[in-house]
Amino acid sequence: MSDQALPGAPVTETATAEEPAAGGRPVPFRGGGFVPKTKFWLGPIVFVVIIALLEWGTRAGVISALTLPRPSDVLATFVRLWETGLLWDHLVPSLTRFAVGSAMGCTAGVMVGIAIGLFTYVRAGLVPVVAAIFPIPKIALLPLFVIWFGIDEGSKYALIALGTFTPMVVATYGAVDNVDRTLIRMGQSFNLTWASIVRKIVLPGAMPGILSGLRVSLAIGIILLVAAEMLGANYGVGAYIVEAGYLFDLERLFAGVTILSVLGVTVSFLLGQVERRVLRWRV
Amino acid sequence: MDLALDAVSHRYGAVEVMRDITFDVPSGRIVCIIGPSGCGKSTLLRFLGGLERPGAGRVLQLGTPPSDSLNPLTYIFQDFALLPWRTVEGNISLVLEDHGIGGDRAEAIVADVLARTKLADFRTALPKQLSGGMKQRVAIARALAVNPAVMLMDEPLSALDSQTRELLMDDLIGLWTRAPFTAVYVTHNLAEAVRLGHRIVVLSRRPGQVREQVTIDKPLGERGFADPDLDAIQRHLWSLMREEAMAADQELVDV
Ligand SMILES: Nc1ncnc2c1ncn2[C@@H]1O[C@H](COP(=O)(O)OP(=O)(O)OP(=O)(O)O)[C@@H](O)[C@H]1O
Ligand SMILES: [Mg+2]
């Protein structure tokens, strides 16, 4: 301000005033991170690198043939499976069991979860029951299911259904609890019917939680698929793996395990697509 | 249709929230409620719209609502309460669907309220794409769609910046001048109260009691910036609120 009154002074004044700017350091950047992005190419590259390392290791003798099979041998086994048509003989029953069992378990789980989320008495009555069932290793119950539902498909469906049911219940009622109450009050204040509030506010609001619960449940479903096929199944990826395991046939074991991994990746990819469509409204 | 509160008192457990509140909301007028934080304004509004029941006293509806009113007591919320998974028009048709209004009739209503709130271009936008002011305009459009007899607004502008607030206040005044509606308007902001209120009910700190009711006769359309009459009223309101607010502030520390 006073500079303007002294015409002579500003030259030196501005020179000294600008000095800190010239010698200044940029403010260090501290933001960034915590926002994982999807990089589609990185996942496959990691796979390829790991497999290439294993191939090199087994060929060079760093990894003995007894520890791990050679990836190329596993691939050859897989190709044989494909050519003989045995792949489909194993895959089709497995996929059916997985689809039927997890459809039953997840549907029931979502319905029970919503009921727990909405009704006081259902919550009081069922939450302890679910908490009691959840930690039971479902595999331990397989013999029981065989007695109840028969050695055929019934026991397998039951095992997968029960295994996917409990995590689905827990995820769903958590998601219902998390639905914004002000939205529900809003619905009531506009005289929406109870059914409308559930269908148009509670369900869509709980959808993110339900879908992430579905991810966990379906992964558990794949795990239990193998368990279910341990007893009384001639065909199925699980039966194939178990048989290979008894014979210590590592190539076949790994070929079977690879099929399960691919199934897992496929399920997860499909769910990702569903999420992208259904949850487009999310910020 | 008028609303009236008759000796309403309420407590939450050991906390007495309000005591013996009596006032009425005449039809076609905007009644503003001001009072220090925690004096029970939001609670009072929930009583007025039937979302909660008072511990003592009555909330009365005098006269019948107009027959074309789909939802006589309609809220506008501070945080908008829009469904994030529905578009602007979806949020409005939400409140029509349960009244069996669909097709062309719903279409006409949606188009009308969107035009009145200047949102016609944003019909298919999702809430996440809208600014705060636009979201609140959607909420106002949604309220207008059900043709309310009384609008219950809980700090509808307090989540917005001051410029947007001015614009929306002008919008509300415009809406009211074209078609006078009845409203109960809760606010912290004394300037909003003197701009929009035909009557201002001043509540004391908790337990909330009616401290004074101030009536402003000047028509809404003629109330502008730096109006000396309004300024005088606002100063008077502030002198009432000042000690209550200071005392309430102290009490919050004790809790
Ligand atoms: N559901 C509830 N259960 C228990 N206490 C409550 C409940 N709702 C409100 N209160 C208490 O009642 C008092 C009044 O709350 P209310 O939200 O009505 O105040 P307010 O005047 O709207 O405050 P603000 O200006 O901050 O919005 C507060 O002390 C609050 O903690
Ligand atoms: Mg409040």
Side-chain angles (χ1 to χ4, degrees), chain A residues 189 193 196 200 280-282, chain B residues 71 75 84-85 97-98 128:
Chain A
S189 81
T193 59
S196 276
K200 297 169 187 170
R280 212 169 351 188
W281 51 270
R282 273 216 288 203
Chain B
N71 186 44
Y75 283 91
W85 47 87
E97 286 158 11
D98 272 27
K128 68 170 178 182

Side-chain angles (χ1 to χ4, degrees), chain A residues 90-162:
Chain A
H90 288 299
L91 204 51
V92 170
S94 282
L95 285 180
T96 317
R97 285 165 192 151
F98 174 61
V100 174
S102 50
M104 292 196 302
C106 292
T107 316
V110 169
M111 289 194 312
V112 171
I114 287 174
I116 290 178
L118 292 177
F119 306 109
T120 310
Y121 284 100
V122 181
R123 167 171 305 227
L126 286 190
V127 168
V129 177
V130 172
I133 303 177
F134 207 165
I136 301 176
K138 310 296 178 298
I139 303 168
L141 296 181
L142 185 58
L144 186 65
F145 286 151
V146 170
I147 298 172
W148 285 358
F149 303 106
I151 192 118
D152 301 328
E153 300 304 298
S155 59
K156 301 178 177 62
Y157 294 159
L159 184 70
I160 298 174
L162 185 67

Side-chain angles (χ1 to χ4, degrees), chain B residues 60-130:
Chain B
L60 299 171
Q61 201 172 304
L62 309 174
T64 46
S67 56
D68 60 345
S69 173
L70 297 175
N71 186 44
L73 301 171
T74 298
Y75 283 91
I76 291 174
F77 298 90
Q78 175 175 5
D79 53 3
F80 323 127
L82 300 177
L83 300 186
W85 47 87
R86 285 198 175 216
T87 59
V88 168
E89 58 181 344
N91 266 289
I92 296 171
S93 57
L94 170 80
V95 300
L96 300 173
E97 286 158 11
D98 272 27
H99 296 282
I101 298 177
D104 289 347
R105 239 181 101 207
E107 173 60 35
I109 294 177
V110 171
D112 172 53
V113 295
L114 287 181
R116 274 154 79 193
T117 47
K118 301 178 211 135
L119 284 166
D121 294 340
F122 302 97
R123 271 190 95 123
T124 55
L126 283 171
K128 68 170 178 182
Q129 298 169 291
L130 303 176

